[in-house]
Amino acid sequence: MGKRRQNKQLFTSLSKKQKKHLKEFGEEHPFHDVVNERPEKIEIVELPASPEQSDAEPDDLEEDEEEPEQKTAYQKLLSTLSQHTTNDQSEEEESTDDEEEEEELLGEGDSDGVGDDSEEEDEDEEEESEDADEDMTKVLEGEEEKEKEKQGDDEEFVDKEHESQFCLENNFMGEEQEDTESTSEHDNKDMFLQHLDTELSEEDVQKITSGSKTKTQITWPKLGTLLCTNSLEKFGPIGSQKDTNPPVFHKLLETCWKDLNQTSNPKGAAGGVSPFQLELLALMGSYKDLYYPETCPLNQGPQVRSAYCLHAVNHVLKANSQVLAHNTQLREWKTQAKPGADPQDEPRDQGLTRPKVLILVPFRGGALHIVQTLISLLESKGKKMVVSNKKRFKEEFGEEEEDDKPSNLQRPDDYHAIFSGNVDDHFRIGISIIRSSVRLYAPFYSSDIIIASPLGLRTVLGAEGENKRDFDFLSSIEMLVVDQTDVFLMQNWEHVLHVMKHMNLQPLDSHGVDFSRVRMWNLNNWARHYRQTLVFSSIQDPQINNILTKQCFNYRGQIATKNIPNTGSICQVLVQLPHVFQMFSSHSFMDHDARFQFFIEKVLPQYRDSVMSHTMIYIPSYFDYVRLRNYMKKEEMNFISICEYSSKSEVSRGRHFFQKGDKQFLLFTERFHFYKRYTIKGIQNLIFYGLPSYPHFYSEVCNMLSASGQGEEASWTCTALYSRYDAHKLAAITGAKRAGQMLHSNKTVHLFVTGGEDR
């Protein structure tokens, strides 16, 4: 038994190939004798110049042989690689057949009788393993080819041809730019330098995080009423429009920034900067957070996009020029420094990672317009920019074919403005800018600007517990632009919140950063207090306000426009219709239970009679839609439902049954109306389970009652539910004055009638 146990211990230390060779030939292969422990010592023999020098004493030779051998780093690396590959190759094979072969080989040691069948089986196993290895190599080669083809979908786009050209560490300031940059660098009026060079104290950071703020209001000619919020007294509110200086632009932008609107109006409209854009640029140049919730996609949308693109590229050019100028100074100092001189302190001009600007947009079409605007701003008259990977960018972000969309369907202008171009919502792209060159599809850690959708970033950021996730590239973002924020509410707001939670966190890896050049507030994990956040939306919503109050901590404060709508969208209702607004008590904005209980106890029983047929229920939230649908199924009510996830056949079938009266109720989600804008025919009774997020949706849905053409205006009804937390939505629908009266009134029911005879 002792011999058998000893053989078993020797056998377990062998690899798969060694076991098979031992079973076939009865001994180990000589190749494996020398690679068990360590590689054999390599001796370099130098021939002596004369025979006398070759006579060495035998004692000296023995001492040399007895000294322990020291491996070089290269030999250690080779030994680890060889062990790793052999272990990987043998792990899976040994796990299945170790016990069987162990018994066979141990049986061979006790008795010499071995059957021929076992040898044939072993040969078959060898052939099968070789075939499996060949198949595996083919599969891996195929996967590598697929990865190369899909390289554009990965954020780590490798472009070795342009890597050194766009690397900040290896570039220096050109001779013709040194004078201009040195003078602009010491310009005290430049808010870029003032903002980044300001050093905060521990007391300042505690004041910002405590939440104590002072609020002041000021009026500007174009933007209207501005609400300024500040945490630190020394960085007070913005002044009047006349007292606010325009931002200082980089040399490359000094001549062309006034032709800003030529990018948004390529057909030859007015190309000068509008007064509205000048006020926006003045607010952005103050490096305070900005919230502008009046960005109409038709009018202000293109102007806002051009303004923040100019501000972003100006910030990137100044930051990169500062780094390149300091690289030049350090190089000159190293060449002129005398030996033994004290080393010069390196300037702190960088973050922990290179990306400085993050722009969130909902669709690829918006990213296309942003990149085109950035390139046109950098191209001065008579000078073209060198843009890498431009052809690929146009192929992936260009307009898609619209064969599946019906041409005879009439949709409003705001729909065409939002959904024009490529409407894919899963994308991300990095952009790096050096001098007069732009590289698209740059790796994130080599990019200056990242343009992405929340979904595109979510797939990279991952979630807690996932093995493959990365969010270090967001650690040093100095400017965050959230454009068309209202569209994110119609997509998935959780993705936006997930991105905001991973902004300006301490990175998990150094990523090759030179810590001697990193700013101290980055090392102190105070980067979020220096980040400027620009939020643009077409509506005011509590969820958007929550981002500014809970996720933004800029030490310079915030600015938000607070213009009160005088007339609401109810004035655009053309049909003669009584509007009944019923108020219910609620404890919070997210109190869905109170709304649901009020609806099923007070409102729904009035419409359950068969006389109240053709009733459509407009539901803004998908979760409320699912809850109400399940309740109606449980109560066995006669209804049909249409949501954003319904197929075309389900939608057409539901619209047909509802129009004919086969179904008494129609559940209709706000997202379906946002993405489709179908006209529902046959509506006689309309219920707004919640006020629409977009005020013009209220008038659009109400005007659907006239689509049936049956002439039953006398029996039409409209009921809308609201709480005191729906103040913004109510003011946008009924007007600010009426909304104030409704919210402070003792009555909970208010009636409006639209569509009276013309006087």
Side-chain angles (χ1 to χ4, degrees):
M1 292 297 293
K3 182 180 179 182
R4 184 179 182 85
R5 187 178 295 108
Q6 183 179 4
N7 292 338
K8 185 174 182 179
Q9 292 176 356
L10 294 173
F11 177 80
T12 54
S13 63
L14 299 179
S15 66
K16 176 70 175 178
K17 294 183 179 179
Q18 290 174 321
K19 293 174 185 176
K20 291 182 178 180
H21 194 277
L22 179 61
K23 186 162 57 175
E24 290 183 8
F25 300 99
E27 61 180 3
E28 291 186 36
H29 194 280
F31 174 77
H32 298 288
D33 294 339
V34 293
V35 296
N36 285 336
E37 296 294 332
R38 61 177 181 173
E40 189 176 0
K41 180 179 178 181
I42 301 174
E43 296 182 1
I44 301 175
V45 181
E46 295 183 0
L47 295 177
S50 62
E52 297 177 356
Q53 296 179 358
S54 63
D55 296 331
E57 296 181 0
D59 296 335
D60 296 336
L61 292 176
E62 291 177 0
E63 290 177 0
D64 293 338
E65 290 177 358
E66 291 175 357
E67 290 180 1
E69 178 190 355
Q70 294 183 356
K71 296 183 182 180
T72 63
Y74 182 69
Q75 290 174 343
K76 292 179 180 179
L77 180 61
L78 285 181
S79 62
T80 56
L81 288 176
S82 61
Q83 292 174 4
H84 178 69
T85 52
T86 53
N87 290 338
D88 289 346
Q89 290 176 357
S90 59
E91 272 182 1
E92 296 183 358
E93 298 175 353
E94 288 176 3
S95 62
T96 56
D97 300 332
D98 273 352
E99 296 181 358
E100 297 177 3
E101 292 189 7
E102 198 171 322
E103 295 295 333
E104 291 177 3
L105 281 179
L106 291 175
E108 287 177 5
D110 295 336
S111 62
D112 297 329
V114 179
D116 297 336
D117 296 338
S118 61
E119 294 182 359
E120 293 177 0
E121 290 176 359
D122 294 333
E123 292 177 359
D124 293 339
E125 288 176 1
E126 282 186 4
E127 293 177 358
E128 289 178 0
S129 62
E130 292 176 358
D131 294 339
D133 292 339
E134 293 178 359
D135 294 339
M136 183 60 68
T137 54
K138 291 180 180 179
V139 170
L140 292 175
E141 290 175 358
E143 289 179 354
E144 290 177 358
E145 293 178 358
K146 290 180 180 178
E147 288 179 358
K148 291 179 180 179
E149 293 176 358
K150 296 181 179 180
Q151 209 170 19
D153 297 335
D154 192 2
E155 77 283 357
E156 294 296 329
F157 176 77
V158 180
D159 190 6
K160 295 181 180 180
E161 181 181 354
H162 304 94
E163 190 66 33
S164 60
Q165 178 185 354
F166 289 89
C167 181
L168 285 179
E169 290 78 7
N170 300 334
N171 280 274
F172 303 92
M173 187 64 66
E175 296 179 358
E176 69 279 359
Q177 298 178 356
E178 289 182 3
D179 297 335
T180 58
E181 295 304 327
S182 61
T183 56
S184 64
E185 202 174 76
H186 298 287
D187 192 354
N188 295 327
K189 295 182 180 180
D190 193 353
M191 285 300 300
F192 167 80
L193 297 175
Q194 294 182 23
H195 176 64
L196 297 181
D197 293 344
T198 301
E199 295 291 341
L200 297 178
S201 63
E202 293 283 352
E203 296 179 356
D204 294 336
V205 175
Q206 291 179 0
K207 287 182 180 179
I208 296 173
T209 55
S210 64
S212 59
K213 299 177 181 179
T214 58
K215 297 182 179 181
T216 56
Q217 280 192 357
I218 192 171
T219 303
W220 280 29
K222 296 297 180 182
L223 294 175
T225 304
L226 303 179
L227 179 62
C228 303
T229 306
N230 296 92
S231 300
L232 303 179
E233 295 179 358
K234 55 184 176 181
F235 303 104
I238 196 84
S240 63
Q241 192 265 339
K242 295 181 180 180
D243 299 335
T244 305
N245 297 322
V248 178
F249 291 102
H250 189 269
K251 179 186 176 183
L252 294 176
L253 303 174
E254 286 179 350
T255 57
C256 62
W257 74 271
K258 294 183 179 180
D259 300 329
L260 186 61
N261 290 334
Q262 288 183 353
T263 58
S264 58
N265 298 322
K267 295 184 178 179
V273 180
S274 64
F276 168 72
Q277 289 176 313
L278 288 176
E279 293 186 7
L280 274 181
L281 289 172
L283 294 182
M284 294 177 188
S286 66
Y287 278 91
K288 297 176 182 289
D289 292 345
L290 176 61
Y291 175 36
Y292 183 69
E294 302 172 20
T295 310
C296 175
L298 288 172
N299 302 323
Q300 291 92 349
Q303 297 186 45
V304 167
R305 180 175 60 240
S306 300
Y308 72 68
C309 285
L310 175 61
H311 180 55
V313 74
N314 186 40
H315 180 87
V316 170
L317 288 175
K318 287 182 179 180
N320 288 351
S321 298
Q322 189 181 44
V323 174
L324 297 181
H326 291 160
N327 289 347
T328 306
Q329 294 176 5
L330 292 174
R331 182 181 62 176
E332 292 177 354
W333 180 85
K334 290 179 180 179
T335 56
Q336 298 175 2
K338 298 180 180 179
D342 295 334
Q344 186 182 12
D345 293 336
E346 296 189 9
R348 297 189 176 273
D349 52 8
Q350 300 177 18
L352 292 169
T353 52
R354 180 171 172 179
K356 307 171 186 64
V357 179
L358 173 63
I359 303 177
L360 295 179
V361 286
F363 302 118
R364 284 181 182 260
L368 175 66
H369 292 305
I370 291 172
V371 173
Q372 290 175 344
T373 304
L374 294 176
I375 295 174
S376 61
L377 287 172
L378 294 170
E379 289 180 345
S380 58
K381 296 181 179 179
K383 184 178 180 181
K384 290 288 185 180
M385 293 291 297
V386 179
V387 183
S388 306
N389 308 312
K390 190 174 183 180
K391 180 179 178 182
R392 177 189 168 193
F393 174 74
K394 288 183 177 180
E395 292 176 354
E396 295 185 2
F397 286 78
E399 294 186 5
E400 294 180 336
E401 297 181 359
E402 301 181 356
D403 296 337
D404 56 338
K405 295 182 180 180
S407 58
N408 58 349
L409 191 62
Q410 294 183 357
R411 290 183 168 118
D413 294 336
D414 67 295
Y415 177 88
H416 295 290
I418 294 174
F419 294 100
S420 61
N422 194 330
V423 293
D424 181 24
D425 62 347
H426 186 198
F427 64 91
R428 54 188 178 269
I429 182 173
I431 303 173
S432 58
I433 303 173
I434 290 291
R435 298 194 188 93
S436 60
S437 301
V438 177
R439 177 169 65 147
L440 305 177
Y441 294 99
F444 276 2
Y445 291 99
S446 301
S447 302
D448 298 306
I449 302 175
I450 296 175
I451 305 174
S453 64
L455 176 60
L457 277 186
R458 178 67 183 265
T459 55
V460 179
L461 299 179
E464 294 184 4
E466 295 183 4
N467 294 328
K468 187 178 180 182
R469 56 180 312 207
D470 186 11
F471 51 83
D472 289 354
F473 57 89
L474 299 177
S475 61
S476 299
I477 294 294
E478 300 166 2
M479 185 186 302
L480 170 63
V481 181
V482 188
D483 195 10
Q484 295 179 276
T485 315
D486 51 287
V487 182
F488 296 143
L489 292 171
M490 297 294 112
Q491 292 178 340
N492 193 334
W493 188 249
E494 291 296 326
H495 295 336
V496 179
L497 298 179
H498 190 75
V499 173
M500 296 300 298
K501 290 178 182 177
H502 289 80
M503 294 292 298
N504 300 115
L505 299 179
Q506 206 73 342
L508 303 178
D509 193 6
S510 62
H511 300 283
V513 67
D514 184 2
F515 287 99
S516 61
R517 298 280 296 269
V518 178
R519 300 184 183 95
M520 290 305 300
W521 49 264
N522 279 108
L523 298 176
N524 293 334
N525 199 18
W526 292 348
R528 61 175 182 166
H529 301 303
Y530 289 80
R531 186 191 75 228
Q532 182 187 26
T533 305
L534 308 176
V535 181
F536 303 101
S537 171
S538 64
I539 60 172
Q540 287 193 5
D541 192 272
Q543 298 181 80
I544 302 176
N545 295 333
N546 184 61
I547 286 183
L548 294 165
T549 56
K550 302 297 183 182
Q551 304 287 347
C552 298
F553 303 95
N554 189 349
Y555 76 90
R556 289 192 172 270
Q558 298 177 359
I559 301 175
T561 58
K562 296 290 183 180
N563 296 320
I564 300 175
N566 296 323
T567 59
S569 62
I570 195 173
C571 300
Q572 301 171 0
V573 178
L574 304 178
V575 297
Q576 187 173 356
L577 182 66
H579 304 260
V580 180
F581 288 84
Q582 298 190 22
M583 183 177 179
F584 64 94
S585 60
S586 177
H587 300 289
S588 68
F589 171 73
M590 303 301 291
D591 191 359
H592 300 285
D593 295 334
R595 186 184 299 269
F596 178 74
Q597 292 298 329
F598 182 83
F599 178 78
I600 63 175
E601 293 175 1
K602 302 293 184 182
V603 180
L604 190 58
Q606 303 174 12
Y607 293 87
R608 297 194 68 166
D609 192 355
S610 59
V611 178
M612 305 294 290
S613 61
H614 296 275
T615 301
M616 189 180 86
I617 305 176
Y618 181 96
I619 309 174
S621 172
Y622 180 77
F623 300 104
D624 290 336
Y625 160 80
V626 173
R627 186 176 188 178
L628 194 56
R629 182 191 63 187
N630 295 340
Y631 173 80
M632 287 187 167
K633 284 184 179 180
K634 184 179 179 180
E635 295 293 325
E636 297 181 353
M637 300 177 65
N638 185 21
F639 77 100
I640 194 72
S641 59
I642 296 177
C643 68
E644 59 270 24
Y645 301 108
S646 301
S647 61
K648 290 183 178 180
S649 59
E650 292 174 345
V651 172
S652 59
R653 186 166 56 251
R655 294 172 66 188
H656 175 74
F657 289 158
F658 180 74
Q659 183 180 3
K660 297 299 181 182
D662 297 337
K663 299 294 182 180
Q664 183 179 356
F665 293 96
L666 170 64
L667 301 185
F668 187 82
T669 62
E670 183 176 69
R671 285 184 181 178
F672 177 82
H673 183 67
F674 175 79
Y675 284 106
K676 300 298 182 182
R677 306 292 178 94
Y678 289 167
T679 300
I680 306 299
K681 297 181 180 180
I683 305 174
Q684 296 181 10
N685 304 291
L686 184 59
I687 301 176
F688 286 94
Y689 187 83
L691 297 180
S693 301
Y694 292 88
H696 61 275
F697 281 6
Y698 184 86
S699 58
E700 287 181 6
V701 175
C702 289
N703 290 329
M704 289 182 186
L705 275 73
S706 62
S708 59
Q710 298 177 2
E712 299 176 357
E713 291 88 350
S715 61
W716 289 348
T717 63
C718 177
T719 303
L721 308 184
Y722 71 97
S723 68
R724 62 190 182 95
Y725 295 99
D726 297 327
H728 289 297
K729 297 179 180 180
L730 187 64
I733 293 174
T734 62
K737 186 177 180 180
R738 291 174 179 173
Q741 296 174 355
M742 295 166 65
L743 292 172
H744 295 91
S745 174
N746 295 328
K747 300 179 181 179
T748 58
V749 180
H750 298 83
L751 174 65
F752 299 90
V753 180
T754 58
E757 295 181 358
D758 297 336
R759 296 179 180 177

